[in-house]
Amino acid sequence: MSAFFGHPEPRLVLDGEYPCWDEPLAAVNRDLAATLPDQRPLRLIAYPESEDLEYVYVALSKGEAHGNALIPTESAAEALTAVADAAQDTVSERLWRAWPLCTVHDLGMHPRDIDGRPSWWCAGGSRPGDPAHLRAAIGELDTVQQPRPTPRKRPKNRRLR
C-alpha cells in the first residue's frame, strides 16, 4: 500500500524483529507507565525506504511518531539512551507536553549517559542551591515517582454548641 507520492505506508514492527531495541523499549515503557499511566505502551514503526532498507521510529500506540529514526548502536547503553530520546521526542510532540517530568522541579528531564548508565537527568531549579541532578536510571522512574499531593479539602466550619 502506498501513501502520498508513492511512498510506502509505515508498518508496526513485530516483537523480536529488531531485538537490539526490544529491551530498551520495554524499559522506556516502564517509565511511561509510571509517569503517564493512561497512555498505552509505545511501539516501534518502520518506514520502508527500499526493498532492503527501512527506518525505525518510536511511536505512540496508534503509530504516531516524531523525531529521528533509531540508528543501530554499539552498546546496550547507547541503544537505551537512543530509544529514550526518541520516545521523549514522540511523547512531547504528539501529546504536547514535557515528558518525563521531574517531580522535584516540575521540569522536563532528558536522557543522559552517566558513567555508562543511561539515566533521566533534570537541569534543576532556577534558584541557587537547587542544582541539576540525576533523577533515576531509565526504566526505573517507578521507584522514584511520587504522585503529586492532592489538595486537601478545607474542613467545614462547625458550629460550637
Side-chain angles (χ1 to χ4, degrees):
M1 182 174 245
S2 292
F4 292 108
F5 306 109
H7 292 287
E9 297 248 353
R11 66 176 185 81
L12 291 176
V13 171
L14 301 174
D15 292 337
E17 204 173 338
Y18 286 96
C20 62
W21 293 317
D22 286 344
E23 284 186 42
L25 185 62
V28 170
N29 273 326
R30 284 193 300 275
D31 289 345
L32 184 73
T35 56
L36 297 176
D38 294 338
Q39 282 299 311
R40 296 189 63 204
L42 300 168
R43 302 282 317 259
L44 296 179
I45 60 169
Y47 283 88
E49 188 64 26
S50 65
E51 277 187 35
D52 55 350
L53 176 66
E54 63 185 1
Y55 295 106
V56 178
Y57 295 82
V58 175
L60 297 178
S61 63
K62 295 179 184 177
E64 302 169 290
H66 185 86
N68 296 320
L70 296 172
I71 298 171
T73 60
E74 297 290 320
S75 71
E78 288 175 344
L80 181 53
T81 302
V83 169
D85 193 42
Q88 184 179 47
D89 282 349
T90 291
V91 171
S92 296
E93 289 297 325
R94 294 299 180 183
L95 300 181
W96 284 68
R97 63 183 306 159
W99 178 82
L101 288 179
C102 172
T103 54
V104 174
H105 297 105
D106 203 30
L107 295 171
M109 298 184 287
H110 298 281
R112 289 254 172 112
D113 188 309
I114 310 290
D115 298 325
R117 188 169 189 203
S119 303
W120 292 112
W121 177 85
C122 172
S126 58
R127 291 174 280 153
D130 206 0
H133 63 103
L134 170 72
R135 186 70 180 136
I138 295 172
E140 297 178 12
L141 280 177
D142 61 337
T143 65
V144 297
Q145 287 300 107
Q146 298 171 3
R148 295 182 192 278
T150 54
R152 291 176 45 176
K153 290 185 179 177
R154 192 173 181 177
K156 294 180 181 177
N157 290 336
R158 295 186 182 177
R159 292 186 199 183
L160 297 174
R161 293 183 198 206

